[in-house]
Amino acid sequence: AAGVIQSPRHLIKEKRETATLKCYPIPRHDTVYWYQQGPGQDPQFLISFYEKMQSDKGSIPDRFSAQQFSDYHSELNMSSLELGDSALYFCASSPGTGATYNEQFFGPGTRLTVL
Amino acid sequence: AQSVTQPDIHITVSEGASLELRCNYSYGATPYLFWYVQSPGQGLQLLLKYFSGDTLVQGIKGFEAEFKRSQSSFNLRKPSVHWSDAAEYFCAVGMEYGNKLVFGAGTILRVKS
């Protein structure tokens, strides 16, 4: 079965550079979530999109922005990178079926290292 | 505020011994509960989930968990641990509004032979 695809899998950037992470949800999933997992930390919710509109927002820095496109893929843009942005970034997707709760399916993550 | 507590940061068990990982949650509405496992540097793999119905749920790799509403707990169990079970385990609660997941801090399981 098709899974969530994230690219790149690994990314190395310098401080103050920008980075773009991409997420391709499971086909027919219209909701995308982004999570950040710092070293030794639990995953923290950043932001989510449903039908190309932001549906919820967590602890996402102002330096970060994200969007969902017409094909439902999503991009997380990170500017003025700081050392503390080094983390594993997960994308998850779910169907927006209108059920009370829709299970999320996680991608393999993008490991960002800021030097 | 919604929260998930995993009181044990590290647990070490002998191979073949039984395992129980604790999870308590604080959430006012109907909880949607999950256990994920993560090997070092890897992604999150869903072990099992509870939405409703039977409070004892079976998952993959021989794991099970029991939802106890009166104790706000969702503890993970396995009758006989294998060395390959060594990993970090996260309990999570799904928020009905917005659908996001709130994770516990995780429990690192070490298995000694």
Side-chain angles (χ1 to χ4, degrees):
Chain A
V4 176
I5 297 171
Q6 291 189 246
S7 68
R9 293 293 309 279
H10 301 272
L11 190 59
I12 299 175
K13 291 286 186 178
E14 300 278 343
K15 281 194 307 183
R16 292 180 290 277
E17 285 190 324
T18 61
T20 297
L21 310 185
K22 297 184 179 182
C23 170
Y24 298 86
I26 292 172
R28 291 180 293 282
H29 281 194
D30 51 14
T31 307
V32 170
Y33 314 79
W34 286 97
Y35 293 84
Q36 176 192 55
Q37 185 181 27
Q41 304 295 314
D42 56 290
Q44 295 286 321
F45 171 73
L46 292 178
I47 196 166
S48 62
F49 292 87
Y50 168 65
E51 285 288 346
K52 302 178 283 289
M53 299 289 290
Q54 180 182 308
S55 55
D56 199 2
K57 190 174 181 179
S59 49
I60 183 169
D62 292 339
R63 299 177 289 107
F64 294 7
S65 65
Q67 57 182 326
Q68 185 180 33
F69 295 85
S70 57
D71 64 350
Y72 298 112
H73 94 272
S74 177
E75 295 184 3
L76 178 65
N77 298 293
M78 311 158 71
S79 63
S80 303
L81 287 169
E82 303 173 356
L83 295 179
D85 296 328
S86 295
L88 191 55
Y89 290 83
F90 288 109
C91 172
S93 74
S94 72
T97 61
T100 306
Y101 185 82
N102 297 301
E103 181 183 343
Q104 297 176 31
F105 297 81
F106 281 84
T110 293
R111 180 166 298 283
L112 171 67
T113 302
V114 181
L115 302 176
Chain B
Q2 305 86 358
S3 66
V4 178
T5 301
Q6 294 180 246
D8 304 305
I9 299 174
H10 296 97
I11 282 186
T12 300
V13 300
S14 298
E15 191 169 16
S18 63
L19 170 71
E20 182 170 30
L21 302 183
R22 295 181 291 165
C23 173
N24 292 94
Y25 66 90
S26 172
Y27 184 51
T30 303
Y32 301 93
L33 298 163
F34 304 83
W35 275 99
Y36 288 88
V37 62
Q38 185 179 36
S39 296
Q42 300 301 308
L44 295 165
Q45 182 179 25
L46 179 66
L47 285 176
L48 45 77
K49 62 188 178 188
Y50 172 78
F51 280 18
S52 64
D54 193 347
T55 57
L56 184 64
V57 293
Q58 303 297 320
I60 62 172
K61 303 185 179 185
F63 284 93
E64 67 177 27
E66 186 171 12
F67 170 59
K68 292 185 178 180
R69 185 183 296 274
S70 62
Q71 298 177 20
S72 298
S73 69
F74 188 56
N75 294 348
L76 181 71
R77 300 193 294 249
K78 187 170 184 177
S80 178
V81 169
H82 188 262
W83 64 266
S84 61
D85 293 325
E88 188 161 17
Y89 291 79
F90 290 98
C91 180
V93 60
M95 300 289 111
E96 197 168 276
Y97 172 75
N99 225 53
K100 69 183 179 188
L101 287 168
V102 174
F103 289 84
T107 297
I108 296 173
L109 172 65
R110 297 192 179 105
V111 180
K112 60 181 181 180
S113 54

